[in-house]
Amino acid sequence: MRFPQIPYFDNSWDSVIIDALSPSNFSWVNRGCRYQMLLQAMIKSFNNKALSLPPNKNAILGTVIHKLYELTIKGELKSLADLKYKWEDLIDEKKLELAALYPTLRNASLNDYDKRNSAIRYSLGIIKKQGSAGTNSSKCKVLSEKWMDCSKIGLRGFADKLIIDNNYIDVVDFKSGHVIDENGGIKSEYCIQLQLYAVMCQFLSLGTPRNLSLVDIDGNYHSIPFSSPLSEQLKAEVLEAIKLLNNAITARDFQHHARPEPNTCPYCCYRHVCRFREISADEYYQTVSGIVIEIPSSNMYTLRNEKGYVYHISGIDVYDIDQPNIYLGKRLTFVNITRASREADEFTYKTTENTLVYEQL
């Protein structure tokens, strides 16, 4: 095998243009690291999913849960047995997808039976509701996982569920994580996302927004009112955000848009290509990049990073590399490695079942 190769992209920014954002990406631009959005656009331009790190387990399970709800809403799943079988089928599908994209990932454990049970309970509620007419009445049309391209106003993305009723439209967004913030209110970023989905529905003339709801993992609804003045304000802010990101690309001004934080960098899907990441030495999983300067054995690589620090990484022999010495002088990035032992210093690591290895060209 050979480690996945990440193209050298410092000279490729001219080909990257951001013309639209999803509602979730826009909310992240406002409150998080804009550089992450720029890296996402760059990696996407290479049209190779393996260049991005896999989403975290909860994000993958969120996708599975959304699919389960979608199939239930469509009437394709009609019983508890259907739901249980489909859950396992979707989990297996995601495992195979991970294995194909990430050859060094040896642990693709995804199942979470608490989340599964909560999702199945909610799906059974959908089935029961459909059995007594509910949103499947002749007056209503239900759209699930609806792709909406509103690039003319800088927005596009999938809506989890839309209910169209006599020219009115209800927007439903399913969330697998926490919906309520520390102050007891709905998280502001989720409120913004719902308003933007409503804006997209209006742009596509799907109906007049009536009700905007979040559904948490336990099936609880959390509703917010649609605000026309806020929607107009957000439309303007989306276009400004896109302009800001494209100006950063033109000026190659990335540092001012990076927000490295020890609480978020360890979980970023683009930390393997980020030059500004900050990961505390206390984190269990680390990300290390550097030039391979020595290969003491088939089980160890010695790397030197741009600051001159030297790292020793063992556990290489678990990978079926035809010619381990081929990486001498190459730049490698190891994601999700840990201290070699409790006594090891912060420069001595080992690979794990979750380790991902990339060659940076």
Side-chain angles (χ1 to χ4, degrees):
M1 66 160 285
R2 181 155 190 155
F3 299 136
Q5 295 178 321
I6 296 181
Y8 180 76
F9 56 70
D10 279 1
N11 296 330
S12 301
W13 284 106
D14 287 337
S15 63
V16 179
I17 299 175
I18 298 174
D19 60 354
L21 298 170
S22 69
S24 60
N25 278 348
F26 170 72
S27 65
W28 181 249
V29 168
N30 275 353
R31 65 187 173 86
C33 176
R34 297 190 190 109
Y35 185 53
Q36 182 187 108
M37 294 295 98
L38 295 170
L39 290 175
Q40 181 187 73
M42 170 57 79
I43 292 294
K44 187 177 180 180
S45 72
F46 292 115
N47 197 28
N48 183 351
K49 289 183 179 181
L51 299 186
S52 296
L53 298 185
N56 63 46
K57 177 180 175 179
N58 285 336
I60 295 174
L61 287 174
T63 302
V64 170
I65 290 168
H66 289 172
K67 189 65 178 178
L68 199 74
Y69 294 163
E70 176 193 352
L71 295 175
T72 305
I73 291 166
K74 289 180 176 178
E76 295 181 25
L77 304 177
K78 301 178 180 180
S79 68
L80 177 60
D82 287 348
L83 292 166
K84 287 183 176 180
Y85 176 81
K86 194 61 185 179
W87 175 274
E88 298 299 334
D89 186 47
L90 291 171
I91 290 293
D92 288 342
E93 183 179 299
K94 289 298 180 183
K95 286 181 180 179
L96 290 173
E97 184 179 317
L98 289 173
L101 289 174
Y102 307 103
T104 64
L105 182 64
R106 294 177 290 131
N107 177 17
S109 175
L110 292 176
N111 240 329
D112 182 319
Y113 285 98
D114 287 337
K115 288 185 181 296
R116 184 202 71 159
N117 292 340
S118 294
I120 286 177
R121 279 197 299 272
Y122 179 72
S123 296
L124 287 172
I126 295 174
I127 293 170
K128 183 178 180 181
K129 195 172 185 180
Q130 288 175 335
S132 56
T135 57
N136 268 356
S137 68
S138 58
K139 296 181 180 180
C140 295
K141 181 180 180 181
V142 179
L143 305 176
S144 57
E145 289 295 311
K146 169 66 174 175
W147 171 251
M148 296 193 290
D149 190 340
C150 308
S151 299
K152 289 184 179 179
I153 58 172
L155 291 165
R156 60 172 169 249
F158 285 97
D160 288 345
K161 181 179 177 181
L162 303 176
I163 303 171
I164 302 174
D165 180 14
N166 290 328
N167 295 321
Y168 287 99
I169 191 160
D170 299 335
V171 179
V172 181
D173 196 20
F174 298 108
K175 296 296 182 186
S176 57
H178 296 292
V179 169
I180 304 301
D181 63 20
E182 60 274 9
N183 297 318
I186 298 174
K187 290 183 177 180
S188 60
E189 61 266 29
Y190 293 164
C191 293
I192 290 173
Q193 290 171 31
L194 282 173
Q195 296 286 349
L196 288 177
Y197 280 121
V199 166
M200 295 165 77
C201 290
Q202 283 186 311
F203 178 79
L204 296 174
S205 300
L206 295 178
T208 301
R210 178 176 60 183
N211 187 51
L212 313 179
S213 299
L214 293 166
V215 181
D216 62 26
I217 188 66
D218 294 317
N220 300 312
Y221 275 73
H222 307 266
S223 297
I224 66 169
F226 171 69
S227 169
S228 185
L230 177 57
S231 71
E232 291 302 313
Q233 176 187 330
L234 289 174
K235 282 166 64 176
E237 289 180 4
V238 167
L239 295 176
E240 280 300 311
I242 292 173
K243 181 179 178 180
L244 185 70
L245 293 172
N246 284 317
N247 285 343
I249 293 173
T250 301
R252 303 297 192 268
D253 177 21
F254 302 129
Q255 186 167 4
H256 290 99
H257 297 280
R259 296 183 185 176
E261 295 182 5
N263 291 333
T264 56
C265 287
Y267 310 103
C268 174
C269 288
Y270 302 94
R271 62 188 182 276
H272 60 313
V273 291
C274 181
R275 67 186 70 174
F276 307 113
R277 64 176 181 257
E278 289 185 5
I279 300 177
S280 167
D282 294 332
E283 284 287 336
Y284 182 76
Y285 286 118
Q286 291 290 318
T287 298
V288 169
S289 298
I291 303 295
V292 179
I293 59 173
E294 185 181 3
I295 301 179
S297 71
S298 61
N299 190 46
M300 179 175 287
Y301 283 172
T302 302
L303 282 63
R304 179 184 286 119
N305 72 3
E306 63 275 5
K307 294 182 180 179
Y309 297 130
V310 175
Y311 296 90
H312 305 282
I313 302 175
S314 61
I316 306 299
D317 59 358
V318 299
Y319 308 122
D320 187 19
I321 304 173
D322 296 332
Q323 297 175 307
N325 288 335
I326 197 174
Y327 290 111
L328 190 63
K330 305 293 187 182
R331 180 178 179 82
L332 298 182
T333 295
F334 288 81
V335 183
N336 296 338
I337 55 176
T338 63
R339 296 278 180 90
S341 68
R342 291 184 179 180
E343 295 75 26
D345 59 32
E346 59 183 285
F347 302 105
T348 306
Y349 293 94
K350 63 181 178 181
T351 63
T352 71
E353 290 186 337
N354 297 300
T355 296
L356 299 163
V357 189
Y358 294 89
E359 178 185 359
Q360 308 272 354
L361 300 180

